Amino acid sequence: MANGKLEGKTALVTGAGGAIGGAIARRFASEGASVCVADLNFDAAKQTVADIEAASADAVACALDVADPAQAEAAVHLTHERFGGPHILVNVAAAPSPRGTVETMALEDFTREITVNLTGYFLMAKYAVSAIRAAGGGSIINIASQLGHIGVPGRPAYCASKGAILQLTRVMAIDHARDNIRVNSISPGAIDTPRSGTQPGAPRLTREQRGKSYLTGRIGRVDEIAAGAAYLASDEASFMTGADLLIDGGFLAFKGTTDDLPARD
Ligand SMILES: NC(=O)c1ccc[n+]([C@@H]2O[C@H](COP(=O)([O-])OP(=O)(O)OC[C@H]3O[C@@H](n4cnc5c(N)ncnc54)[C@H](O)[C@@H]3O)[C@@H](O)[C@H]2O)c1
């Protein structure tokens, strides 16, 4: 696309076979970026690439376990070999999130979630920073969560990993400011994806019930997170670093439900 926000840029997006990562990869491609679509689920990554290529943009699929240092390094190399750069890294990949308390949760489940959600972000950045610096600088975006800001029952590993991502982001922004690398996080509210448990057949609250906790009266869409990522990745966000972009439909701004809002005549 001519005059896209990300014309001439290359991006590496992890978890890009998934709902939010896929939307970010497609949006970046529509803004002119060449995208390395990396995911543990290689078939899902290839589907995202097919979507991007169907829109006449450039992408390559990459099989990646972000928890494996050699694979993290290889994903950065693949991006560089195919497209140059990268200028942009988006850490999206997250492990399945088993429920439990610290008493009931198995150590392996806790460790896996922290290793993918937090150490995986560290590893991707570890290998991407030198490439982004060599490309003249760029942007790293870490997908956190509203659950990095507040706690909910039964999610000790998830909430701990997402809270830690907010701090990791700040320190990376400080450490790499002189490299011309901006580092920000995005904290989505509940987004309508299979992970959020709001899809048909999910055993928990319906999307309508959950939407009542949001000032918007609904949970979010993947394109609304992709729009924030496209902004943070682009030069339009040249004064944004070390920040968290909260895209949560007002969830954290009020305690109540939309039933509590004053009526309008
Ligand atoms: N969906 C929501 O409501 C919501 C809300 C807040 C934050 N988030 C965050 O947004 C991100 C994406 O969420 P989503 O709803 O798109 O989930 P998703 O499950 O659709 O996508 C996650 C992707 O990560 C991949 N993945 C898992 N382990 C991996 C590994 N070790 N290496 C590489 N890839 C791996 C999966 O294969 C999957 O494609 C996550 O970081 C999640 O915590 C989601």
Side-chain angles (χ1 to χ4, degrees), residues 6-261:
L6 304 177
E7 208 64 51
K9 305 290 188 196
T10 70
L12 169 53
V13 184
T14 75
I20 291 174
I24 290 171
R26 289 188 295 271
R27 174 66 192 262
F28 280 16
S30 78
E31 295 286 355
S34 301
V35 186
C36 180
V37 174
D39 203 292
L40 189 63
N41 182 340
F42 190 47
D43 287 340
K46 286 192 287 191
Q47 182 56 56
T48 302
V49 169
D51 295 344
I52 290 172
E53 288 178 341
S56 304
D58 286 331
V60 62
C62 175
L64 167 69
D65 181 348
V66 294
D68 180 328
Q71 292 186 39
E73 188 170 18
V76 174
H77 282 157
L78 174 67
T79 312
H80 182 75
E81 291 302 311
R82 281 296 291 265
F83 303 126
H87 309 91
I88 302 158
L89 167 68
V90 191
N91 279 314
V92 186
S97 190
R99 304 307 199 258
T101 68
V102 294
E103 186 180 22
T104 62
M105 182 174 281
L107 174 60
E108 310 83 75
D109 287 341
F110 184 84
T111 303
R112 179 70 187 157
E113 203 160 354
I114 297 290
T115 301
V116 173
N117 296 15
L118 179 60
T119 312
Y121 281 30
F122 161 81
L123 284 173
M124 293 307 302
K126 180 175 197 58
Y127 297 111
V129 159
S130 59
I132 298 173
R133 179 172 50 228
S139 171
I140 297 177
I141 300 164
N142 293 324
I143 302 298
S145 171
Q146 64 186 8
L147 300 186
H149 297 262
I150 59 164
V152 289
R155 308 286 301 275
Y158 187 81
C159 291
S161 71
K162 294 301 183 178
I165 286 166
L166 301 177
Q167 279 293 67
L168 178 68
T169 298
R170 295 182 185 111
V171 177
M172 285 169 57
I174 295 163
D175 288 341
H176 299 293
R178 294 267 191 222
D179 296 324
N180 197 27
I181 301 174
R182 296 180 296 101
V183 187
N184 296 286
S185 56
I186 294 177
S187 289
I191 304 300
D192 198 2
T193 78
R195 169 179 289 272
S196 64
T198 52
Q199 302 278 316
R204 294 182 289 135
L205 294 179
T206 64
R207 56 164 76 76
E208 287 72 25
Q209 287 167 327
R210 292 191 78 180
K212 284 178 174 284
S213 299
Y214 290 75
L215 286 174
T216 47
R218 62 169 177 83
I219 63 170
R221 301 187 309 265
V222 293
D223 62 284
E224 293 171 321
I225 305 306
Y231 165 67
L232 288 177
S234 77
D235 292 340
E236 289 179 354
S238 47
F239 202 50
M240 285 278 292
T241 192
D244 182 59
L245 186 57
L246 181 62
I247 307 180
D248 76 337
F251 178 85
L252 291 185
F254 93 130
K255 198 170 169 65
T257 74
T258 48
D259 294 337
D260 305 322
L261 296 175

